[in-house]
Amino acid sequence: MSNQIKSYIDQHQQRFLDELMELLRIPSVSADSKFKDDVQKAAAYLQAALEKVGVDTVEVCLTAGHPIVYAEKIIDPTLPTVLVYGHYDVQPADPYELWDSPPFEPVIKDHKIYARGACDDKGQLYMHIKALEIMMQQGQPPCNLKFMLEGEEEVGSGNLEIFVRENAQRLAADVILISDTAIISNETPSITAGLRGLSYVEVELTGPNRDLHSGVYGGAVANPINVLCKMIASLIDDQGRITIPGFYDKVQELTSGQRDEMAEAPFDLQQYQTELGIAAIQGEDGYSTIERTGIRPTLDVNGIWGGYTGEGAKTVLPSKAFAKISMRLVPHQDHEEITELFTGHFKAMAPASVKVKVTPHHGGQPAVTPTDSLAFQAASKAFEEAWGKKPIPTRDGGSIPIVALFEEVLGLQTVLFGFGLDSDAIHSPNESYGVFNYLKGIETIVLFHHQFAAMKGN
Ligand code: BES
Ligand code: MN
Ligand code: MN
């Protein structure tokens, strides 16, 4: 089985790469309305690609935002059904000047495909369409497949939530399969068993009713930027713990057995620091780096601005200061509750000299996926067969808010079957995806379907 799949991939690899490069050329940035038509073009491209490999039905479903591409290949209603989810929208490519080659003109260099979306998530999503092609060409898929590909993941999946709630019947399946996460390394494959949630807020501080001369008023009137810095600094203490009252109340502590298991994953601190160009790491006392990103909540300023930031010096005591702040959450924190706790605390701690406004952005719940399900075991076996190694379960620090929603609305568990690497630089300039990962991922996905169908059938 594995040999047949491999030889098909060998024979068709150039075309498989060309097709992905074509998709990567479409700048489907969901956050920026300037690219609205391109997002639609990407949807149309996927519709055609699905049609070509031989799905029964495919439609581009319009929403209040960007469309959802939905397709089905039903072999036999009595067979198990796998619902594949992916997102064809990408993050903005800014700052463009930091890219070695233009973000929407993909190139292959050192066995990696460089482009915005190469790994997150066009490359990983397209593997599933090519996996279906192989199954169609080598007989027929051993199970039914449904595809739900959205164009709004990077902006919070607001319309997908509505789509899922309205189409719960149609989306009936046995498991959800998502390739939108990372493995430890190509030498140490892994399967993600948990994702962090997200609370994202924007804060605005207002001091005096206009920008002031910093000499005439400085020292007597509160500077909202100074105040904001102090407030933000107080949100994390010297032990690296977040000071918002109640923030940790619902955090699930892992047992020492679970922590020992996590510690078995290989991690090279020196290499980690070298790759990031840092001389030291930092985080919550009492937790390893893997734990700090996998099972512990965090608070980070994502952007901060105000006053004069142009060329030269302008002496000004600004009227306003702003920041965007994200909190990554772990089970069983609730993102809406955390947003409320933040808002209450942030307003309460502000001095009388400033007014505070807190605006929540999109958020999402954390998710853990079971490691003892048939689907997880099928995924594990597929990795073993294709990579020659049993994959390690891991917890990823990123968020895919829709995973918790799938469980809530559809009652379905997800297998996070990602093949990216942390070094792929998703969301950053020079995002890439390994040609090896792309092709090996396709093979592993085909094997998953066979394993899952066989295990379910018994
Ligand atoms: N694919 C990522 C999430 C991810 C990355 C999970 C790496 C695990 C490992 C996804 O596209 C993403 O970027 N999600 C956003 C959240 C969303 C609401 C904008 C994130 O994590 O910041
Ligand atoms: Mn993604
Ligand atoms: Mn992303």
Side-chain angles (χ1 to χ4, degrees), residues 58-81:
V58 53
E59 64 179 286
V60 173
C61 309
L62 300 181
T63 73
H66 301 302
I68 293 159
V69 181
Y70 182 74
E72 290 186 354
K73 180 74 211 173
I74 307 297
I75 304 296
D76 175 345
T78 64
L79 285 173
T81 301

Side-chain angles (χ1 to χ4, degrees), residues 87 89-91 120-121 153-154 180 399 426-427:
H87 65 92
D89 65 321
V90 299
Q91 286 272 328
D120 185 12
D121 181 40
E153 196 274 345
E154 301 290 9
D180 193 22
S399 309
I426 60 171
H427 295 203

Side-chain angles (χ1 to χ4, degrees), residues 22-61:
E22 194 73 31
L23 176 62
L24 291 170
R25 259 177 220 116
I26 309 170
S28 49
V29 179
S30 51
D32 188 343
S33 57
K34 186 166 85 215
F35 296 103
K36 193 167 188 275
D37 291 350
D38 294 301
V39 178
Q40 271 172 30
K41 256 189 229 161
Y45 184 85
L46 291 170
Q47 178 187 31
L50 281 157
E51 233 158 43
K52 204 158 169 204
V53 298
V55 294
D56 304 329
T57 56
V58 53
E59 64 179 286
V60 173
C61 309

Side-chain angles (χ1 to χ4, degrees), residues 398-450:
S399 309
I400 308 177
I402 210 71
V403 172
L405 200 98
F406 286 149
E407 188 176 347
E408 183 204 317
V409 180
L410 303 175
L412 289 180
Q413 293 291 350
T414 292
V415 173
L416 294 162
F417 209 33
F419 300 92
L421 297 173
D422 286 350
S423 55
D424 288 339
I426 60 171
H427 295 203
S428 299
N430 301 312
E431 175 177 354
S432 68
Y433 191 39
V435 172
F436 171 82
N437 299 65
Y438 177 59
L439 300 173
K440 202 68 179 170
I442 296 171
E443 180 190 337
T444 317
I445 290 167
V446 177
L447 291 170
F448 168 84
H449 289 285
H450 286 288

Side-chain angles (χ1 to χ4, degrees), residues 87 89 91 119-121 124 152-157 179-182 192 194-196 198 328 362-364 396-401 422 426-427:
H87 65 92
D89 65 321
Q91 286 272 328
C119 171
D120 185 12
D121 181 40
Q124 297 215 58
E152 296 191 320
E153 196 274 345
E154 301 290 9
V155 291
S157 303
S179 298
D180 193 22
T181 50
T192 304
L195 292 164
R196 290 196 285 189
L198 180 68
R328 296 281 168 175
H362 55 70
D396 279 6
S399 309
I400 308 177
D422 286 350
I426 60 171
H427 295 203

